[in-house]
Amino acid sequence: MRARSRTGCSVRDGGKGVSARLSQRTLDMQAMYLTGVGPGRADALRRLGVFTVRDLLMHVPHRYEDASTISPIKRVKIGEDATILGRVISKGVFPTRRGLRVFQAVVKDESGIIECAWPGQPFLDRSIAVGDLMLLAGSARFFHGRQFAPRETINFGADPGDEAKGRVLAVYPATEGLSFKQLRALIDRHLDQLLPLVNEYLPPPALEAAKLPPLRDALRMMHRPATLAEAMQGRSRLAFEELLFVNILHRRAKTLARAARSGIRFVNRRDLTSKLKAKLPFDLTAAQVKVTREIVRDMTSDERMHRLLQGDVGSGKTVVALFAALLAMENGFQAAVMAPTELLAEQHARTFAALLQPLGITPVFVSGSMSTRARATANKHLASQEPLLVVGTHALVQEGTSFGRLGLVIVDEQHRFGVEQRLALGRKGERPDVLLMSATPIPRSLALTVYGDLDVSILDELPPGRQPVTTVRRPAKAREKVHAFVNQQIDKGRQAYFVFPLIDESDKVALKAATQACDELRAGAFANRKVELLHGRMDTDARDDIMRRFRDGEVDVLVSTTVIEVGIDVPNATVMVVEHPERFGLSQLHQLRGRVGRGSEESFCILLGDVSPESEDRLRVVVESQDGFKVAEADLRLRGMGDLFGQKQHGEPTFRVADPFRDIALNEIAREQADRMLTADPELRSKENAPLHAMLRRRYERALELFRVG
Ligand code: ADP
Ligand code: MG
């Protein structure tokens, strides 16, 4: 959405054209009018989301290199990283035996001299002169003596100012055709001219409460910090701004939603719900009872329900959803359950059909891949006034699908839908109640920041009898041992999953890899077992057939792409081998692992293959924790908020700088300040708040609308 408002600016400026360049410099000026930015660079900048000069100033370094601690050249040791500052005393370009041309310079400081080499960069000979003062960060190696290999080169020229004394270097997100060094040079070149154009828009008391510098100072600190601490201060100022804005939006959205929140008042008739309770093959967990009560309370009130139900994989969200659906139905309304994949929707339809059979209720199924005739029949049901339970994919929100009396909307795995899709389902009825479900738990305070106007229920208990899944990492060379172990399990009568990553179902290369691996397993370690391959591109009948046979114990090894993440419930399956575990998100691995450990036997999840040390570190989280909450938190911490606010969720304010996990304290202050400001001035109409109001509008124009329930 920020890109949208940027485009908005660029259109306006485009109209003013050249005169804007000549007469008035404003932050809305297009970056391409800056000296040093030609058409190629302008394109590269646009790819980075930089359209205007303001965007350039707001281009946040993603890390810093601390060159403020400079080593005397004499002390630089072979094999160690160092930053040195010295003058070039001689230089030249030399060919290597393999035909590579190397620029070399000997650099001297008060303590000694060192030879520095830039292989493959002979062009440096033109820009570096004898007598230049150079700041070099890199490492020393042995090459006919000590030789320095700079990763970073800054040339201060023959007559440098004070800045060369030592500084912290900003490293920017870069793109093809515009390196971070070029970006740094570009920003550095214009910073002094641009900063005076920057005006503060946050109210001073808010900044004081957070102990942060005003914007102009913050930007200087961020781009050209004297120390790392200063760089962090600058960054914090921008993070605070984002958190403050989002908190303001959420509070405002909440107020608006409350005001317009009258909804259906269901009556707890204890008719269908009581019947279901009597027929359930198990007792509800205490957590299920608690959240079901919370939902019933919402649904029987005058206010519209807008609740998020969070619970780890296997915590039993489905049956809770079913109680809510029955409550709607016993009041004569329709309830719709939307799932992100066809397979999951089918699974729900089947589960519901089985549980509701004793009540004489059959759910209606709707998906994109149904025959036209079946779809027409389903649509006719939906459009009628009869109370129904409808289960489907996003086909439910397509045009042409309309409901006669939709009273409750349930969105499963809600984070896999975009905002628009979530809202669209709500709009298919007259202010239906909304229940969102997710297996990716995030802390409650965060949920409020992330989802805004939502009440949150948490299923914090698994049904009894679940075993923790013993999870281990094994290198590729242990593959045979792993296979032998799986064979032992099969000898004991158990079954196994082999999982291969598949980014999306049209990924042919990965599909081929999975197919090949399946053939190998069939021919090799599991030659005398029944091995089947399951993937999302198979037609439903073939897939169903394999799944049914696996469930019934006729298949020993199920090789599959990630489709099983959401599909299968087989208590006798006790081993899961995950190939290329580094390609999965941590939460995804945790969900996959939830497919085993469903019976009374000890279960195993083996993450197999050679991975980078970083991946090893990341995977350790899943190995060491069985707690979906912890896994999700680590996942978000490691991957940033990107996925949570994913590209799909256009229109929601995103965090570019802030990380609500790391910036918890800052977020607290932001929330307090947002509360304080809106209590005093609910619509931010006062004169003091005018600059803030303008900035909110420009950035989050559509956000308020999107934050409404529907
Ligand atoms: P999730 O929260 O991941 O959607 P499900 O609703 O699919 O979990 O439930 C996982 C499994 O646990 C299902 O097989 C379901 O029948 C079973 N289950 C749900 N609640 C209970 C309970 N209270 N006692 C025993 N088993 C339960
Ligand atoms: Mg579920």
Side-chain angles (χ1 to χ4, degrees):
M1 188 202 56
R2 298 193 62 192
R4 235 177 265 260
S5 60
R6 280 178 182 132
T7 319
C9 295
S10 69
V11 169
R12 275 201 303 281
D13 292 329
K16 282 188 219 152
V18 181
S19 65
R21 168 174 44 159
L22 296 178
S23 59
Q24 97 218 82
R25 280 184 157 248
T26 75
L27 292 179
D28 291 333
M29 187 177 88
Q30 297 227 351
M32 67 181 185
Y33 295 135
L34 288 173
T35 324
V37 181
R41 284 201 173 173
D43 272 349
L45 283 172
R46 274 193 283 272
R47 279 201 297 281
L48 292 169
V50 174
F51 295 85
T52 64
V53 168
R54 182 196 314 278
D55 298 335
L56 187 66
L57 276 178
M58 292 289 191
H59 194 59
V60 181
H62 59 85
R63 66 186 172 85
Y64 290 91
E65 229 150 65
D66 190 356
S68 58
T69 46
I70 290 166
S71 313
I73 286 178
K74 199 172 81 181
R75 300 250 179 83
V76 174
K77 290 203 182 65
I78 286 168
E80 284 181 11
D81 277 359
T83 302
I84 58 175
L85 181 70
R87 297 224 179 238
V88 178
I89 55 170
S90 72
K91 63 159 193 168
V93 174
F94 304 93
T96 64
R97 243 182 269 153
R98 279 176 300 143
L100 193 66
R101 301 202 327 136
V102 183
F103 174 70
Q104 290 187 3
V106 176
V107 173
K108 176 179 189 297
D109 72 1
E110 281 144 22
S111 71
I113 62 169
I114 194 165
E115 182 183 274
C116 306
W118 289 262
Q121 300 182 55
F123 49 84
L124 287 177
D125 195 34
R126 270 175 282 151
S127 56
I128 295 176
V130 171
D132 282 355
L133 185 67
M134 309 276 293
L135 181 65
L136 305 170
S139 61
R141 61 185 173 202
F142 184 80
F143 189 78
H144 307 303
R146 231 170 26 138
Q147 189 182 62
F148 198 71
R151 269 192 316 273
E152 280 268 352
T153 305
I154 298 203
N155 188 353
F156 293 113
D159 190 17
D162 283 347
E163 62 172 348
K165 291 262 162 17
R167 62 191 264 210
V168 177
L169 300 172
V171 182
Y172 294 91
T175 181
E176 209 180 305
L178 193 58
S179 71
F180 71 86
K181 286 179 209 171
Q182 290 169 320
L183 260 166
R184 184 197 291 152
L186 182 69
I187 292 174
D188 207 48
R189 175 173 185 177
H190 294 285
L191 195 61
D192 293 326
Q193 278 172 302
L194 296 178
L195 284 180
L197 304 175
V198 172
N199 291 312
E200 184 56 75
Y201 37 81
L202 296 189
L207 284 176
E208 280 155 29
K211 300 196 180 65
L212 288 170
L215 186 56
R216 197 180 296 167
D217 297 346
L219 289 172
R220 204 271 305 151
M221 291 170 160
M222 185 174 89
H223 292 297
R224 203 186 277 155
T227 60
L228 265 185
E230 218 184 61
M232 292 308 126
Q233 273 268 301
R235 191 205 74 96
S236 290
R237 163 60 177 74
L238 293 195
F240 179 69
E241 164 178 328
E242 284 181 352
L243 293 166
L244 184 69
F245 284 0
V246 166
N247 276 289
I248 288 174
L249 289 174
H250 286 160
R251 238 202 80 144
R252 182 80 187 122
K254 205 161 189 157
T255 312
L256 289 175
R258 280 270 149 74
R261 202 164 154 174
S262 60
I264 303 162
R265 181 183 190 132
F266 297 98
V267 178
N268 190 0
R269 299 185 195 284
R270 298 196 166 79
D271 173 17
L272 297 175
T273 50
S274 297
K275 280 186 190 149
L276 175 66
K277 204 178 283 171
K279 299 284 183 195
L280 269 188
F282 45 74
D283 291 331
L284 294 180
T285 63
Q288 284 170 321
V289 171
K290 186 182 78 179
V291 306
T292 307
R293 285 217 184 103
E294 287 167 352
I295 290 168
V296 170
R297 202 186 327 119
D298 283 357
M299 290 180 67
T300 54
S301 84
D302 291 329
E303 281 194 357
R304 206 174 163 189
M305 172 165 74
H306 193 205
R307 185 170 284 277
L308 172 67
L309 171 57
Q310 298 192 335
D312 207 347
V313 268
S315 58
K317 293 183 289 296
T318 317
V319 67
V320 172
L322 188 56
F323 275 107
L326 291 180
L327 178 56
M329 287 168 71
E330 68 188 24
N331 281 269
F333 283 92
Q334 299 170 333
V337 180
M338 181 163 74
T341 66
E342 192 118 326
L343 218 64
L344 184 55
E346 282 169 25
Q347 169 90 11
H348 280 332
R350 227 173 283 147
T351 307
F352 291 147
L355 290 170
L356 295 179
Q357 201 207 357
L359 282 65
I361 298 173
T362 314
V364 178
F365 181 69
V366 176
S367 88
S369 70
M370 285 165 83
S371 71
T372 322
R373 172 116 59 85
R375 184 79 181 267
T377 313
N379 277 344
K380 214 154 75 209
H381 274 297
L382 265 53
S384 76
Q385 299 281 317
E386 13 165 355
L388 290 173
L389 173 55
V390 184
V391 186
T393 59
H394 64 276
L396 288 175
V397 296
Q398 278 163 2
E399 257 174 78
T401 308
S402 68
F403 292 82
R405 207 163 180 236
L406 186 60
L408 173 69
V409 161
I410 299 171
V411 182
D412 196 16
E413 307 289 338
Q414 67 90 22
H415 57 284
R416 296 174 63 167
F417 291 97
V419 168
E420 306 277 4
Q421 281 173 316
R422 279 182 340 226
L423 291 181
L425 188 55
R427 292 203 196 98
K428 292 277 179 181
E430 273 295 317
R431 317 177 61 75
D433 278 5
V434 177
L435 179 65
L436 307 174
M437 305 202 290
S438 172
T440 307
I442 59 172
R444 190 185 291 264
S445 64
L446 227 139
L448 293 176
T449 302
V450 174
Y451 296 110
D453 177 38
L454 271 186
D455 298 304
V456 182
S457 290
I458 297 176
L459 276 180
D460 51 7
E461 180 186 358
L462 293 180
R466 294 279 162 77
Q467 301 260 352
V469 179
T470 306
T471 306
V472 293
R473 272 273 311 122
R474 291 289 179 262
K477 66 176 196 287
R479 185 165 274 112
E480 273 179 31
K481 274 195 188 154
V482 168
H483 290 170
F485 175 77
V486 173
N487 265 318
Q488 279 169 25
Q489 289 284 310
I490 300 174
D491 284 338
K492 288 189 192 167
R494 318 265 181 270
Q495 292 159 279
Y497 295 107
F498 275 77
V499 183
F500 288 83
L502 192 61
I503 307 315
D504 66 62
E505 284 168 14
S506 61
D507 186 343
K508 285 192 189 132
V509 180
L511 183 56
K512 200 168 154 215
T515 312
Q516 227 164 39
C518 178
D519 291 342
E520 278 166 30
L521 292 174
R522 245 183 215 143
F526 303 100
N528 53 354
R529 310 290 189 187
K530 190 87 188 113
V531 182
E532 290 289 358
L533 177 68
L534 185 75
H535 60 80
R537 278 158 72 92
M538 295 164 68
D539 68 44
T540 321
D541 287 347
R543 221 161 54 193
D544 272 359
D545 181 55
I546 291 179
M547 277 165 60
R548 203 174 303 114
R549 286 194 292 129
F550 187 68
R551 189 194 60 204
D552 296 343
E554 293 164 26
V555 172
D556 302 307
V557 178
L558 186 65
V559 180
S560 108
T561 59
T562 25
V563 290
I564 58 157
E565 186 186 344
V566 287
I568 295 184
D569 191 12
V570 182
N572 192 46
T574 55
V575 206
M576 172 174 289
V577 179
V578 182
E579 296 271 4
H580 296 295
E582 76 282 3
R583 299 205 196 149
F584 293 88
L586 295 181
S587 290
Q588 207 182 2
L589 283 174
H590 179 71
Q591 303 221 358
L592 273 172
R593 165 171 73 176
R595 296 300 119 199
V596 292
R598 299 193 150 237
S600 50
E601 301 301 327
E602 184 179 9
S603 292
F604 305 88
C605 176
I606 303 166
L607 310 176
L608 183 61
D610 293 332
V611 303
S612 70
E614 297 87 63
S615 296
E616 191 76 54
D617 277 352
R618 198 170 64 91
L619 292 173
R620 192 163 300 136
V621 175
V622 184
V623 170
E624 286 170 5
S625 177
Q626 297 278 329
D627 182 342
F629 190 95
K630 285 217 182 89
V631 172
E633 192 170 309
D635 207 12
L636 289 172
R637 214 189 280 277
L638 289 164
R639 294 198 294 180
M641 300 296 288
D643 273 15
L644 204 59
F645 284 115
Q647 291 307 325
K648 281 182 273 171
Q649 315 212 354
H650 299 297
E652 275 179 68
T654 58
F655 297 110
R656 292 194 324 148
V657 187
D659 174 344
F661 277 111
R662 237 179 295 140
D663 300 324
I664 287 176
L666 206 55
N667 189 30
E668 257 333 289
I669 301 172
R671 190 141 44 134
E672 281 163 22
Q673 291 303 312
D675 276 1
R676 186 187 56 76
M677 286 156 63
L678 290 172
T679 308
D681 181 10
E683 299 192 352
L684 302 177
R685 296 280 176 196
S686 69
K687 207 157 144 241
E688 300 90 81
N689 286 330
L692 173 69
H693 191 260
M695 186 49 68
L696 274 166
R697 288 207 80 89
R698 107 181 275 143
R699 270 205 218 158
Y700 301 116
E701 245 167 55
R702 294 171 63 241
L704 282 182
E705 185 196 331
L706 289 168
F707 265 102
R708 287 185 199 168
V709 182

